[in-house]
Amino acid sequence: MTAVASASHADAVPLLTVEGLRCVFDVSKPWLNRVLEGASKQSLQAVDDVSFFIPKGETFALVGESGSGKSTIAKMIVGLLRPTNGEIRFDGTDITKVGNAAEMRRLRRRFQMIFQDPYASLNPRMRVDTIIAEPLRAFGILSEDGAIATRVAELLRLVRLDPADGVKFPHEFSGGQRQRIAIARALAGNPEFLVCDEPTSALDVSVQAQILNLMKDLQAEFGLTYLLISHNLAVVRHMATRVGVLYLGRLVEVAPSRQLFTAPRHPYTRMLLDAVPDLAMSGRQRLPVQGEIPNPITPPSGCFYHPRCPLANERCTQERPALVPAAEGYVACHAVAEGRAA
Amino acid sequence: MTETSEALLEVRDLVVEFPTRRGILRAVDQISFSLMPGEVLGLVGESGAGKSLTGTALIGLLEPPGRIASGTVRLKGQQINGLPPEELRKIRGRRIGMVFQDPLTSLNPLYRVGEQLIETIRTHLPLSEAEARQRAVDLLMEVGIPAAERRLDSYPHEFSGGMRQRVVIALALAAEPELVIADEPTTALDVSVQAQIIAVLKRLCREKNTAVILITHDMGVIAETADRVAVMYAGRIVEIGPVRDVIKSPRHPYTKGLMGSIPDPEAEAERLIQIPGSMPRLTHIPKGCAFNPRCGFANDQCRTERPPVRAVGKGSVACFLDEAQLTALSLEARR
């Protein structure tokens, strides 16, 4: 499966291409404090020169720990945040530069987002059928009430809910059911691309399995393309075709899922995989995790990972490593490039 | 488990209830287990299973109107449920330490970490101020906080999440308790920090022969840490046994479904095993076996009678399926 996916890379047309994406937040103290305390402006590079592409029908996962910038990237792709610079090309059009509102609307319809918390993402005062019908009306896909009701029922069936549930309110549903409603709403406009930001993190494992299976079924049925944001490596392994690993806003490794999990290259990826509790109880010996994620406002020089990296040398402390091809993926590491990594 | 005199903690038929306008809700329903000195027992289950309430009930911290309706909790043979609050306070901290999910709720933001540690140490141990301070430094060093001497004067907000949880572990272990109850100690932490915290907790409890009740929803954490594991569902223990048996060959249909629904990083299954439905609400606990509406093996007996807990292999299971059927189930399990 992985071989097919990677073989198709060269000829597959990327549905989404992200290039040199950067997002800087101003985290300075208020003006008066700066004047009185003589403090200077401070900025936080949440996303630093990130590039990747997602071919049609694939699932690309972004993994990383808190503060790695994965949700920021998701927000910029769906247009909830403006990138400081960089390009986001969706089906050939750079969506950061679309000035025309009508054209943006047309594009918007083709990608949707599923959020982490199904308790916060559904309006508690709206009935479920109204929630699901909202995009249909907003995008002007359907306007006649009968047709909308038919479509809503169809969408509810699609996410394995009872069409009769449409008259209920969100609070009458469990977390897993609410996430199904959120998925039904996302699918209402027949999108091609879904950004899923931690779609199962708020759910119990048995419910998580239901949602992951549903996402896979829908992908097979409609040829959907997913960008999956997750900190759960087991979920990523199960869902993704390719995986990008983020550390402090930079991509350190991009590789086909199987390669990443069986032969991780970057020292950070290795540490991350090693830290996952071992459910197979193989009793394998693991390297203890060194240090903690540094403060992103004052990140280390050179490679951000060097203070924690067992392979770091002089060059790593000074020079930022570029993302270079390695096997079927890309790695940003001097040790790997120089062949110092075993 | 068989009754043993040397058990550190002995819980028998514990029932936790909440009186409400709609009647009495049973959040923990007749659970029994015991714990040996130095043993790590994992208490695992999904949200609403009653695992955290069990933990708070054991140490007498149930929020009213919640109450222990019946059952006993014995610490080294002495019954501790129903003790006057003053007596319980002396046991908490001194003989039973606690670690909660959010380290910020366990630490007072207005006091330096050192003051909190020293206060805890001096409340429970007859040490002078200077001795207690030295002990606080030792504790911080033991849990892996660099420059412990200097960090004593820091406030909780000056620590990262992982470092704060280390401080909480130091607090819990300050008086060398016989038992630590850790409720989702790593849930709020990143996976790399989680690995560090688990390693610290495991090492210290082994060194000091402290028993641990580890409450979590994460089977991976249990697999890494626990000696035995109890699986809870709708307020009841459905399966209890050595961790390797429960994880590698779960017997109860719920445990089996739970294990199957965890994505396996080693195997590349196209679909996950899924249990239909979700955990019942306390107001709607099904009759008979609480799991029967979601169980693929349920029969008429399961719908009317509550299955008793009986010994199967090295553990116990609460299910009407006979031993041969349960063993067949466990053989069928993925790993």
Side-chain angles (χ1 to χ4, degrees):
Chain A
M1 189 196 126
T2 324
V4 176
S6 51
S8 67
H9 269 172
D11 38 74
V13 188
L15 183 65
L16 184 92
T17 311
V18 168
E19 225 162 274
L21 195 63
R22 182 169 271 136
C23 183
V24 181
F25 291 115
D26 186 356
V27 290
S28 315
K29 287 188 172 174
W31 172 82
L32 190 62
N33 290 60
R34 289 208 306 273
V35 170
L36 294 176
E37 297 162 18
S40 57
K41 276 211 157 201
Q42 276 188 321
S43 64
L44 185 155
Q45 287 247 21
V47 176
D48 188 359
D49 199 7
V50 165
S51 306
F52 60 87
F53 63 95
I54 313 177
K56 249 191 170 74
E58 283 196 7
T59 302
F60 183 78
L62 282 175
V63 293
E65 302 183 273
S66 10
S68 61
K70 47 193 195 306
S71 288
T72 311
I73 294 177
K75 283 183 188 154
M76 287 191 287
I77 288 174
V78 295
L80 291 176
L81 257 180
R82 245 194 169 336
T84 310
N85 44 44
E87 276 184 16
I88 302 168
R89 279 199 306 279
F90 181 77
D91 207 8
T93 318
D94 185 352
I95 56 172
T96 57
K97 298 205 175 62
V98 176
N100 180 333
E103 196 189 344
M104 193 63 216
R105 249 178 119 73
R106 259 199 312 282
L107 277 174
R108 228 354 116 56
R109 210 177 112 174
R110 298 171 59 192
F111 50 89
Q112 285 294 324
M113 184 159 178
I114 300 168
F115 297 89
Q116 171 173 357
D117 186 357
Y119 293 83
S121 62
L122 302 177
N123 187 333
R125 293 172 187 237
M126 276 163 84
R127 262 169 45 172
V128 166
D129 50 4
T130 326
I131 291 175
I132 298 174
E134 203 179 15
L136 295 173
R137 296 179 199 273
F139 288 125
I141 298 166
L142 295 171
S143 53
E144 194 249 316
D145 283 351
I148 288 178
T150 316
R151 176 71 179 140
V152 167
E154 184 186 84
L155 285 163
L156 280 168
R157 263 194 298 271
L158 208 55
V159 295
R160 326 286 187 250
L161 287 173
D162 188 348
D165 285 341
V167 297
K168 294 186 186 165
F169 286 89
H171 75 262
E172 296 174 70
F173 294 91
S174 66
Q177 290 170 323
R178 282 184 217 212
Q179 203 58 304
R180 287 167 195 268
I181 295 168
I183 293 174
R185 175 179 60 183
L187 292 176
N190 280 324
E192 296 148 58
F193 178 58
L194 284 186
V195 175
C196 313
D197 189 0
E198 304 268 12
T200 59
S201 302
L203 307 175
D204 277 319
V205 278
S206 71
V207 182
Q208 165 174 291
Q210 297 168 3
I211 297 294
L212 295 182
N213 282 340
L214 176 67
M215 283 173 61
K216 278 205 157 187
D217 292 348
L218 293 172
Q219 181 168 42
E221 199 173 337
F222 300 107
L224 294 171
T225 307
Y226 289 136
L227 170 64
L228 175 69
I229 311 282
S230 183
H231 68 281
N232 186 328
L233 290 159
V235 168
V236 166
R237 170 92 202 246
H238 182 72
M239 298 293 290
T241 327
R242 285 191 316 137
V243 183
V245 182
L246 286 163
Y247 185 71
L248 277 179
R250 293 177 179 179
L251 268 179
V252 297
E253 181 162 5
V254 181
S257 181
R258 180 183 296 175
Q259 181 187 316
L260 190 100
F261 284 92
T262 51
R265 301 282 173 126
H266 197 282
Y268 175 66
T269 316
R270 293 184 187 178
M271 185 278 278
L272 203 59
L273 291 181
D274 229 18
V276 178
D278 183 10
L279 199 56
M281 305 186 72
S282 55
R284 67 188 154 101
Q285 273 304 310
R286 318 193 295 195
L287 292 169
V289 176
Q290 297 295 324
E292 294 195 326
I293 299 178
N295 183 345
I297 298 173
T298 51
S301 59
C303 171
F304 282 174
Y305 191 59
H306 85 256
R308 303 172 69 186
C309 181
L311 304 170
N313 65 10
E314 196 57 28
R315 186 180 172 202
C316 301
T317 63
Q318 284 156 9
E319 194 185 319
R320 172 177 177 176
L323 207 55
V324 293
E328 290 175 41
Y330 299 85
V331 181
C333 177
H334 293 313
V336 173
E338 293 166 11
R340 283 191 282 122
Chain B
M1 286 302 293
T2 45
E3 194 104 17
T4 34
S5 51
E6 73 267 41
L8 172 69
L9 187 80
E10 183 83 44
V11 178
R12 229 25 46 249
D13 296 325
L14 185 72
V15 175
V16 175
E17 288 182 346
F18 285 85
T20 68
R21 275 176 304 167
R22 285 185 229 162
I24 291 169
L25 301 181
R26 275 198 172 193
V28 175
D29 196 356
Q30 290 196 324
I31 64 166
S32 303
F33 62 88
S34 64
L35 192 64
M36 291 296 160
E39 191 182 28
V40 180
L41 174 73
L43 212 52
V44 70
E46 301 182 279
S47 347
K51 48 193 196 305
S52 288
L53 274 176
T54 304
T56 40
L58 293 181
I59 47 178
L61 284 181
L62 277 177
E63 293 267 351
R67 55 162 197 243
I68 296 181
S70 62
T72 54
V73 180
R74 287 177 199 278
L75 185 65
K76 282 221 174 129
Q78 179 204 6
Q79 183 171 338
I80 59 168
N81 60 313
L83 281 182
E86 247 337 279
E87 300 277 308
L88 258 177
R89 256 177 69 98
K90 279 185 202 147
I91 290 175
R92 276 198 301 269
R94 177 70 191 91
R95 299 182 63 192
I96 304 180
M98 286 154 290
V99 178
F100 294 107
Q101 173 173 343
D102 181 3
L104 279 181
T105 57
S106 312
L107 297 170
N108 189 328
L110 300 177
Y111 291 91
R112 294 171 206 275
V113 159
E115 292 171 309
Q116 302 187 47
L117 268 167
I118 291 165
E119 187 197 345
T120 309
I121 293 166
R122 296 200 67 194
T123 309
H124 297 296
L125 302 175
L127 296 178
S128 71
E129 178 77 29
E131 286 167 332
R133 193 177 168 85
Q134 187 50 50
R135 188 165 161 75
V137 174
D138 294 346
L139 277 166
L140 287 186
M141 266 174 1
E142 276 180 359
V143 294
I145 291 182
E149 183 85 57
R150 199 157 45 78
R151 295 300 262 167
L152 226 44
D153 294 322
S154 303
Y155 287 93
H157 75 264
E158 296 175 273
F159 290 84
S160 67
M163 286 294 160
R164 265 180 225 143
Q165 200 60 302
R166 288 172 195 257
V167 173
V168 174
I169 292 175
L171 267 175
L173 294 175
E176 306 229 320
E178 298 145 89
L179 170 67
V180 168
I181 296 178
D183 189 355
E184 305 271 11
T186 59
T187 305
L189 307 173
D190 274 321
V191 56
S192 66
V193 184
Q194 163 174 293
Q196 294 174 328
I197 296 295
I198 290 177
V200 166
L201 197 64
K202 252 165 83 170
R203 175 172 56 81
L204 289 179
C205 291
R206 202 181 311 121
E207 279 171 17
K208 299 174 194 294
N209 200 33
T210 311
V212 181
I213 294 180
L214 179 66
I215 299 168
T216 177
H217 68 282
D218 189 335
M219 271 290 186
V221 172
I222 295 277
E224 288 275 304
T225 323
D227 301 314
R228 279 193 309 138
V229 54
V231 182
M232 290 191 74
Y233 184 80
R236 306 167 186 187
I237 291 181
V238 294
E239 177 162 5
I240 183 166
V243 68
R244 183 166 281 273
D245 294 6
V246 174
I247 284 181
K248 294 253 179 185
S249 45
R251 290 167 191 276
H252 194 282
Y254 173 64
T255 323
K256 191 175 137 57
L258 193 63
M259 292 308 302
S261 63
I262 304 171
D264 182 355
E266 311 295 323
E268 276 163 57
E270 261 309 292
R271 285 181 70 83
L272 299 165
I273 299 171
Q274 62 181 55
I275 315 175
S278 54
M279 177 92 61
R281 295 185 187 188
L282 283 183
T283 44
H284 294 91
I285 303 241
K287 241 184 108 176
C289 172
F291 187 58
N292 84 68
R294 302 175 71 190
C295 181
F297 305 91
N299 56 29
D300 285 341
Q301 193 181 18
C302 305
R303 290 183 198 103
T304 48
E305 278 173 58
R306 175 170 172 178
V309 181
R310 49 197 182 79
V312 178
K314 284 185 214 147
S316 314
V317 178
C319 181
F320 283 121
L321 294 190
D322 63 38
E323 188 154 352
Q325 287 168 306
L326 287 175
T327 312
L329 264 185
S330 75
L331 287 179
E332 213 185 288
R334 222 160 26 116
R335 51 182 168 219

